[in-house]
Amino acid sequence: MRLAVALAGLLFAAANHSNDSAHSYRGYTSQSAATEAQWEGKFRDLPDRDRIRENMKRLSARPHHVGSPYDKDNAEWLLAQLKSYGLEAQIENFTTLFPTPKSRLLELEGPAPFKAKLQEPVVSVDPTSNQAAEQLPTYNAYSRDGDVTGPLVYVNYGRPEDYEVLERMGISVKGAVVIARYGASWRGIKPKVAAEHGAVGCIIYSDPSEDGYVQGDAFPAGPTRPPEGVQRGSVMDMPVYPGDPQTPGVGAVEGVKLIPLDQVRTITKIPVLPISYADATPFLKALQGETVPDAWRGALPLTYHVGPSTAKAHLAVSFNWDRKPLYDVIARIPGAKYPDQWVIRGNHHDAWVNGAEDPLSGTSPELEEARALGELVKQGWKPQRTIIYCFWDGEEPALLGSTEWAEAHGDELKQHAVAYFNSDGNGRGYFHAGGSHSLENFVNEVAKDIDDPETKMTVWKRVRLVDISRAKGKDRDEIRSRADLRIPALGSGSDYTVFVDHLGVASVNLGFGGEDEGGQYHSIYDDFYWYTHFQDTDFSYGRALAQTAGTMMMRIADADVLPFQFGDLADTVHLYVTQLKTLATDKRDEIKERNREINEGVYDALKDPKKTLVPPKTEDVPPYLNFAPLEQASDELTEAAQAYDKAFDAAAGNGPADVNNDLLRSERVLTDDAGLPNRPWFQHVLYAPGFYTGYGVKTIPGVREAIEQKRWSEADEQIKRTATALEHEVDLLKQATKLLEPNGSK
Ligand SMILES: [Zn+2]
């Protein structure tokens, strides 16, 4: 899984605040910075584009999904490579639920019967597109078994707000098979919301407006999805918990107790199947009823109707509900000074099919990074902290490999993990990074040391200028005036999820992109031929990724004092609190205004007698929420962060070892053991994937989702819980500040 590269909000910021004398790195004495600069310089010369290309060629040669022969073969090859670089390496095994299709049928009944092909055809110039015997068929993993028939209704992207529009149009999906288009929300949300509204089945298709001919020429002439291309993917309810559905919260090791299948919360309630737009067209043509609102139109040459259809759709799917082996490849370079402080790097190696872009465009540079670090060790470099390189299996179905590994090692990770750096796919273009805001300054610092292969300016400078060109008004002013480019918070969609959301390990997700069109996401055509014709064809951005992520690993591993910075965190928390207050006010005003319009007869006036428009119902006006605990904690955090950052700067890289032990816990204290309401696995109080967005982040999620979903007493309760976690951060910072001050007390 890879998030589309969205730059909006990603970067901003400005002003070169270094004094540019020699090298000054956050958390380093001037002497150790000089040594570090030498090693980093050697490191950044090492990653080799041809080797990255060869890594991808080897790993993408055959389909390598969970449980396939080549998945295991790749893991063993990765292991052998890592050992040959001189790293300690091993494979860690888990066994997890991974359903694969037994039977798939989708047909349209009635006057113009049609049976969907459900097959991506061979493309003659593409040499791996014909490996049918090893390709997983097109399907959505963790759909339940089912055989359903019903009228069709078009639900746009299938988000909660799309059903509000349908309701206003007087359309119910009860007993219907819904057809939703890919895009706008994570795919697992579509069947979840459809089932909540009473639908019996869900079809998801790739409209050419999203990743087909509207975006560029179709494959093989160009990069975008051809008429019969299909997006596979998981539809598990991962906002509840990711990982093995039968072992939430614990590692799926030998002998672990399994939740019976019929008690698993994360499998869909209705059957789901993804299809191409070639297969979807007859179904869309069968829809009757009113034409859709403007924003609901796709790019097919037909008039989009909401339905329902008189012709019925018949959807029947069944799966092998087997448990399959996972092969996580884990390599280590032990730390010389702080072996018990771990800096972790990861990218998955499994794919839906051949997976050149997703994930190997990230995996291949990661392997090259590990080789380069092994080379430095041979030359005498000794990292101060332990470095761990992970190549995860089973990311595509449900973040299986990373989640099970981190759950199995949860207690150790809580004690030892400093930070986790993730990538998942990589492209040509601009640097992007998201993550924990205590690392925002660090991410900016490293990005200023990496050269962009195309423009030769630094990747930091390039993305800042691109952001300026895209921003407006105040946002643009902020980019120009703020020292650090802001980094967006992480939602979900890749292997950082268990680290940041479950364990409270400060995490960063990074990569490059924005200059290449995608279009083969989770298709058989995401392969070496396609990638080397249309994406980062000379692997210069693969090299840039290895340089960037490897530099981050080295710089945090070797720091005298861990380079967390809390001014940016406090500023971000303040921003989130302000947004929440605005959200609560807007909700109240919106409901008041709508109630008023209903009473005034606005909806009667708007009514076109030839169309259906059901007026909304009046609602209770929400109560005022008490944000005081959160505002208080946010203010205290700002003060404590200023004091800490001042003491940190004055210490200039000097400080007792104890301060690192405090800093190591600085993200952990932002978790709440009770977790979020109704989903206790998610424990971070600042970040979580949205319950109804799936990948998209909700910041201060306990409070934000309570407001959005109009649970007012829960919002008050969550304000207090979030404030408590922030107070813990304040206490920790005060203690760390004391340690850094001259004659720092213990
Ligand atoms: Zn991926």
Side-chain angles (χ1 to χ4, degrees):
M1 288 173 237
R2 177 188 174 207
L3 280 175
V5 174
L7 286 176
L10 170 35
L11 320 154
F12 15 60
N16 192 340
H17 60 130
S18 77
N19 49 17
D20 272 347
S21 61
H23 291 277
S24 93
Y25 299 145
R26 194 177 165 78
Y28 284 73
T29 63
S30 54
Q31 193 185 357
S32 49
T35 311
E36 176 70 11
Q38 283 183 2
W39 284 117
E40 286 187 10
K42 286 183 192 178
F43 166 77
R44 287 195 288 273
D45 282 344
L46 286 168
D48 181 278
R49 293 183 294 123
D50 291 336
R51 283 176 180 270
I52 295 170
R53 180 189 176 91
E54 288 308 307
N55 290 346
M56 180 185 282
K57 192 171 184 186
R58 143 79 219 191
L59 291 164
S60 67
R62 288 164 52 191
H64 52 106
H65 53 270
V66 171
S68 67
Y70 206 63
D71 178 66
K72 180 170 188 244
D73 202 78
N74 271 347
E76 286 165 354
W77 183 80
L78 287 165
L79 178 70
Q81 297 305 300
L82 290 160
K83 284 183 172 171
S84 77
Y85 306 153
L87 275 61
E88 296 170 12
Q90 56 174 328
I91 290 180
E92 291 195 42
N93 291 107
F94 300 94
T95 307
T96 58
L97 184 70
F98 178 53
T100 52
K102 205 188 300 182
S103 64
R104 301 168 303 144
L105 171 74
L106 174 65
E107 57 189 357
L108 186 64
E109 300 174 344
F114 171 77
K115 192 173 163 195
K117 287 198 186 67
L118 311 178
Q119 176 78 48
E120 298 184 286
V122 174
V123 167
S124 58
V125 295
D126 177 351
T128 59
S129 66
N130 65 356
Q131 298 171 328
E134 291 181 84
Q135 291 164 353
L136 271 177
T138 54
Y139 81 116
N140 286 134
Y142 306 98
S143 159
R144 63 169 298 152
D145 291 350
D147 186 335
V148 298
T149 302
L152 276 166
V153 174
Y154 178 65
V155 295
N156 193 28
Y157 294 113
R159 301 161 297 181
E161 58 265 41
D162 294 320
Y163 288 86
E164 286 171 21
V165 173
L166 284 174
E167 199 182 322
R168 299 285 316 278
M169 296 176 84
I171 307 289
S172 163
V173 302
K174 270 207 180 70
V177 173
V178 301
I179 179 164
R181 55 172 166 157
Y182 268 118
S185 71
W186 177 61
R187 76 181 79 71
I189 299 304
K190 302 170 197 282
K192 168 166 154 170
V193 180
E196 286 175 0
H197 288 82
V200 296
C202 178
I203 313 166
I204 313 174
Y205 82 102
S206 296
D207 196 282
S209 58
E210 295 292 323
D211 57 9
Y213 55 73
V214 172
Q215 305 295 337
D217 288 321
F219 187 68
T224 74
R225 199 182 294 279
E228 280 144 331
V230 179
Q231 182 188 141
R232 291 159 187 75
S234 176
V235 286
M236 196 170 107
D237 199 355
M238 280 187 266
V240 174
Y241 62 86
D244 179 17
Q246 294 185 277
T247 64
V250 292
V253 294
E254 185 91 25
V256 70
K257 192 163 175 282
L258 301 180
I259 297 181
L261 265 186
D262 59 5
Q263 288 169 31
V264 167
R265 252 180 96 188
T266 54
I267 294 168
T268 65
K269 306 285 186 290
I270 56 175
V272 197
L273 194 66
I275 60 175
S276 66
Y277 73 76
D279 271 344
T281 299
F283 291 87
L284 293 169
K285 283 185 172 164
L287 289 164
Q288 293 144 309
E290 289 179 28
T291 54
V292 301
D294 285 2
W296 286 37
R297 286 177 197 156
L300 289 168
L302 53 88
T303 303
Y304 288 70
H305 293 265
V306 286
S309 61
T310 44
K312 297 231 160 101
H314 176 206
L315 170 65
V317 287
S318 67
F319 303 94
N320 304 300
W321 291 92
D322 297 334
R323 295 183 65 79
K324 293 277 169 59
L326 295 183
Y327 305 91
D328 285 342
V329 189
I330 312 289
R332 277 186 171 76
I333 304 173
K337 188 167 177 191
Y338 302 113
D340 290 338
Q341 296 180 10
W342 301 351
V343 184
I344 308 166
R345 168 86 172 97
N347 195 110
H348 68 102
H349 70 77
D350 70 299
W352 277 115
V353 197
N354 299 75
E357 192 274 347
D358 183 5
L360 300 176
S361 60
T363 326
S364 307
E366 189 200 9
L367 185 61
E368 181 60 357
E369 232 174 279
R371 184 188 71 84
L373 293 182
E375 197 58 42
L376 289 195
V377 171
K378 283 175 200 160
Q379 294 176 23
W381 176 63
K382 291 191 179 80
Q384 301 292 293
R385 296 183 175 78
T386 295
I387 282 179
I388 304 180
Y389 268 74
C390 308
F391 296 82
W392 307 118
D393 200 354
E395 190 271 357
E396 291 298 354
L399 316 177
L400 296 168
S402 54
T403 303
E404 298 313 315
W405 186 83
E407 287 177 345
H409 297 284
D411 291 340
E412 296 161 84
L413 286 165
K414 281 184 183 174
Q415 274 187 42
H416 303 304
V418 173
Y420 174 69
F421 296 92
N422 190 73
S423 58
D424 183 352
N426 193 57
R428 197 169 64 80
Y430 322 124
F431 174 65
H432 60 87
S436 298
H437 291 89
S438 55
L439 289 171
E440 182 169 280
N441 176 264
F442 176 77
V443 165
N444 275 264
E445 182 187 276
V446 172
K448 287 173 186 169
D449 286 343
I450 310 296
D451 293 327
D452 177 68
E454 288 171 345
T455 63
K456 312 298 175 201
M457 59 178 80
T458 71
V459 301
W460 183 87
K461 187 170 182 193
R462 189 176 189 200
V463 72
R464 176 171 175 267
L465 293 172
V466 169
D467 281 356
I468 286 173
S469 79
R470 293 175 175 180
K472 291 197 175 68
K474 276 191 185 148
D475 290 345
R476 199 164 48 205
D477 296 344
E478 187 186 76
I479 297 169
R480 290 189 170 125
S481 62
R482 195 173 187 268
D484 289 330
L485 293 173
R486 288 186 187 275
I487 59 172
L490 293 174
S492 186
S494 194
D495 292 305
Y496 51 77
T497 307
V498 68
F499 291 96
V500 63
D501 293 334
H502 186 60
L503 297 174
V505 175
S507 297
V508 171
N509 185 52
L510 73 155
F512 290 85
E515 290 186 316
D516 38 18
E517 284 105 35
Q520 305 310 336
Y521 183 55
H522 295 178
S523 143
I524 64 169
Y525 313 119
D526 175 6
D527 58 18
F528 190 71
Y529 176 89
W530 173 77
Y531 194 85
T532 53
H533 281 77
F534 301 110
Q535 304 293 298
D536 179 25
T537 53
D538 67 359
F539 293 90
S540 55
Y541 281 92
R543 181 166 186 264
L545 175 62
Q547 291 172 324
T548 314
T551 300
M552 286 181 182
M553 291 294 288
M554 290 179 74
R555 192 157 315 165
I556 203 162
D558 285 339
D560 297 308
V561 179
L562 287 170
F564 293 105
Q565 191 260 22
F566 299 94
D568 284 346
L569 173 69
D571 175 48
T572 305
V573 168
H574 179 78
L575 183 72
Y576 293 164
V577 173
T578 308
Q579 288 169 351
L580 287 175
K581 285 160 59 187
T582 307
L583 176 68
T585 306
D586 288 353
K587 265 273 188 267
R588 199 164 42 241
D589 291 349
E590 175 195 310
I591 291 173
K592 269 193 206 160
E593 173 64 22
R594 192 165 55 230
N595 288 350
R596 189 172 172 182
E597 290 179 13
I598 293 167
N599 293 331
E600 283 172 337
V602 167
Y603 292 93
D604 302 323
L606 285 176
K607 200 168 163 58
D608 172 346
K610 296 191 175 169
K611 287 188 176 168
T612 309
L613 181 71
V614 181
K617 295 181 187 73
T618 55
E619 280 181 64
D620 291 342
V621 175
Y624 283 86
L625 296 173
N626 179 15
F627 283 101
L630 207 42
E631 293 177 288
Q632 172 87 20
S634 171
D635 282 358
E636 287 174 23
L637 180 63
T638 301
E639 240 173 80
Q642 276 167 0
Y644 174 82
D645 289 340
K646 196 174 151 207
F648 178 94
D649 288 345
N654 297 294
D658 280 358
V659 80
N660 286 322
N661 294 325
D662 280 343
L663 294 169
L664 192 91
R665 293 186 301 112
S666 63
E667 192 85 6
R668 234 82 85 220
V669 300
L670 295 173
T671 59
D672 179 345
D673 288 344
L676 293 176
N678 201 29
R679 42 180 185 146
W681 190 91
F682 284 91
Q683 303 199 331
H684 205 295
V685 301
L686 297 183
Y687 320 121
F691 194 73
Y692 286 109
T693 56
Y695 278 180
V697 67
K698 294 289 175 181
T699 53
I700 310 192
V703 180
R704 189 178 296 267
E705 293 197 320
I707 295 172
E708 287 175 349
Q709 293 158 32
K710 303 172 191 172
R711 295 191 299 263
W712 310 112
S713 62
E714 184 182 299
D716 268 327
E717 166 71 16
Q718 290 294 317
I719 286 172
K720 288 181 209 146
R721 297 197 77 100
T722 307
T724 301
L726 293 175
E727 299 287 359
H728 292 155
E729 188 78 308
V730 170
D731 293 344
L732 182 146
L733 289 181
K734 284 180 178 166
Q735 189 174 309
T737 305
K738 265 192 202 149
L739 290 171
L740 282 178
E741 279 167 347
N743 313 315
S745 58
K746 297 240 157 167

